[in-house]
Structure formats: C-alpha cells, structure tokens
Amino acid sequence: KNAGFTLLELVVVVAIMGLISTMAMDVYTDNSNQKRFEATKQRLAEIKFAIIGDPMMRVGSQVILEGSFFKDMERLPRNLNELIVSNLEDLCIDENYIATASTQVACDPANTWVEADSDDDDINDLWNGPYLHNIQAVNNVQVFRDAWGNSSDDDNFGWIFTPGDLGLAVQTKGLNREAVDDENFNQYELVYPSAANLNLINKAELDRIMQLKGLAATGYCVVLAESTIDLNFITQSLCEANNLVLPSPPPTHLWASFI
C-alpha cells in the first residue's frame, strides 16, 4: 500500500503554515512600530530638553538650564536646524520670543532686530550650541529626524514645527508620513502629539525659565509637606504670604536663600 498525503491534507498544512507566518509577521511589525514610536517620543524629549533644559530638576541649588537654547538666547528657535548648526544668522524676534523675519528691512518696528555677528552685548553673544547631540547624517548633511525616517526640504527635518503665542508645537507625521489626526487610523499612523496635547513647550514654561534666571541669585520657595520647589513664587514675600492664609495652619512654605 502506497503511503502519502492527500491533496486536501496538503492544502490544510499549507494554509496553517501561512496563517502562522502571517501572525508572526504581524507580531514582528507591531513590535518594530512600537520601538520606532518610543524612539520618536525620546527624540521629542531631546528636542524639548535642548530648547528649555529641565526647569524642574536641580543639582544642589542650581536649576538644570545650562546648555538649553532658550536659557542662552531668551527666545525660541526659528526651526530645528538652529539647534544643530555651528553658527547663527541675523533675525527679528517678537515679544513671544518667536523669529518673525530674517532681514532688518522686514522686521516690524515693534520687534527686536538681533545681529548674530554684532560686537555688542546682545543675546546672540550667549549662544553656546549646538544644542542637539543625537544627530544623524544623510548624504553628508546633518539632520535630526524622527524614528520613522520622515524628511522634508525645510529646516525641520520632517517634523511639523509650529511656533505660536502660547508656546511651540513639534509633532511627528508618524508611520504613513502624512499629517493625519483621525481615530480610524492606528496610533502609529497618527500625528503625535495629537491636537489635544499640541504644545511641546508652553509659554508658561518659558516665562518660568525667565523667572528662574532672576531667581538663581536669591533663593527659592519650598513646599514643606512635599519637599518640592514652588516655582510660582519667586520672591520671599510672595512665598511666605502662603503661610498667612486663614485659618492659620502651620507654615506650608519656606523661603530658602542661596549661599
């Protein structure tokens, strides 16, 4: 008697192998996409740190602002390329620290014209870049792309870069490389961060840094119960005024002077 498989048995075996292969590929693809998503979130965090440092972190009595673009320049970058270049250009900045023009003629009289090569003590003399360090090279050109490999012809390397009155938004276009914000797409295909969490950097954070630059020479306000620093109170009188709230509790805030 001849032994062997029937055609039906072979079809079933091939179908099962195909199903297993498809499932394995889906698992591999999801795992790869998740890693790219997490890497992109990390690069967004690097962009934020390059611009404002970490105002909530301290080493001893010092706020971690050194090496941040905004601390040095007292303005937001016009684009991400400003975070990786070796020199700066002239520019016109408005009251929200946003660059509005690249020529003095086009600069609104209400704004401030800053010359990168000026011998005066202007803010560009404090520039200490590049501020981003995890930089890639494409065709001998330095870039800072998201982990999806999105690219563009402008100075933002494929990121969506949107300065505004309330801060700065930096978003990735995601897996499909289009600006999609639709619940019918999966998380990897959507713009990230979404419109609901748009700003990477808020105006309040920028104002806080400006306060901290003045605060560093005097002291800071400590919330005793939490052993944290309350950055909303930048003078001793404002800090200790919290202790006068009725009904009078034990002191809640303490002013700590730098030595």
Side-chain angles (χ1 to χ4, degrees):
K1 182 178 179 180
N2 294 329
F5 296 101
T6 65
L7 178 61
L8 178 59
E9 290 173 329
L10 290 173
V11 169
V12 171
V13 170
V14 170
I16 293 175
M17 291 178 63
L19 179 61
I20 294 174
S21 298
T22 300
M23 293 174 62
M25 182 59 69
D26 288 343
V27 171
Y28 171 80
T29 300
D30 284 345
N31 185 55
S32 177
N33 286 339
Q34 183 63 29
K35 288 182 177 180
R36 289 176 180 267
F37 182 68
E38 294 297 331
T40 296
K41 290 170 63 177
Q42 176 60 34
R43 292 182 187 179
L44 273 169
E46 291 178 32
I47 291 173
K48 182 169 185 176
F49 188 83
I51 297 174
I52 66 170
D54 190 346
M56 303 303 295
M57 183 183 297
R58 287 178 177 266
V59 175
S61 61
Q62 297 301 313
V63 183
I64 306 302
L65 299 178
E66 296 301 326
S68 64
F69 186 96
F70 186 80
K71 184 264 181 184
D72 291 344
M73 305 302 297
E74 298 183 3
R75 67 170 176 86
L76 291 172
R78 290 176 292 174
N79 49 57
L80 294 180
N81 189 55
E82 274 200 313
L83 300 177
I84 69 173
V85 296
S86 299
N87 53 67
L88 292 178
E89 301 174 352
D90 300 342
L91 72 156
C92 179
I93 59 174
D94 64 12
E95 61 181 1
N96 294 309
Y97 324 110
I98 298 170
T100 60
S102 58
T103 66
Q104 189 168 6
V105 174
C107 186
D108 190 301
N111 296 335
T112 303
W113 176 251
V114 179
E115 296 182 359
D117 299 325
S118 173
D119 292 330
D120 298 331
D121 292 331
D122 58 43
I123 59 175
N124 270 353
D125 293 331
L126 301 175
W127 185 84
N128 191 30
Y131 295 90
L132 277 172
H133 303 289
N134 185 20
I135 302 171
Q136 307 98 45
V138 178
N139 297 325
N140 295 321
V141 176
Q142 289 186 325
V143 298
F144 191 86
R145 294 179 177 175
D146 61 20
W148 305 109
N150 286 309
S151 61
S152 58
D153 295 330
D154 58 19
D155 291 324
N156 293 312
F157 317 123
W159 300 89
I160 304 173
F161 186 90
T162 313
D165 292 343
L166 299 179
L168 171 65
V170 182
Q171 300 167 286
T172 173
K173 297 176 183 178
L175 172 62
N176 65 0
R177 306 190 178 189
E178 296 181 6
V180 176
D181 192 0
D182 189 325
E183 61 182 10
N184 294 321
F185 290 81
N186 66 46
Q187 64 171 332
Y188 307 123
E189 297 174 316
L190 297 175
V191 167
Y192 180 86
S194 66
N197 302 292
L198 185 60
N199 283 332
L200 179 69
I201 299 170
N202 296 311
K203 180 66 163 55
E205 291 177 302
L206 305 181
D207 290 339
R208 179 173 293 173
I209 293 174
M210 299 302 290
Q211 293 176 345
L212 287 171
K213 289 181 68 174
L215 173 66
T218 56
Y220 51 89
C221 189
V222 177
V223 183
L224 295 176
E226 302 173 4
S227 297
T228 58
I229 298 169
D230 194 332
L231 299 176
N232 293 307
F233 306 103
I234 62 173
T235 67
Q236 183 173 358
S237 59
L238 289 175
C239 176
E240 295 178 348
N242 290 281
N243 301 326
L244 303 177
V245 178
L246 297 176
S248 180
T252 58
H253 291 66
L254 173 69
W255 181 256
S257 298
F258 292 150
I259 299 176

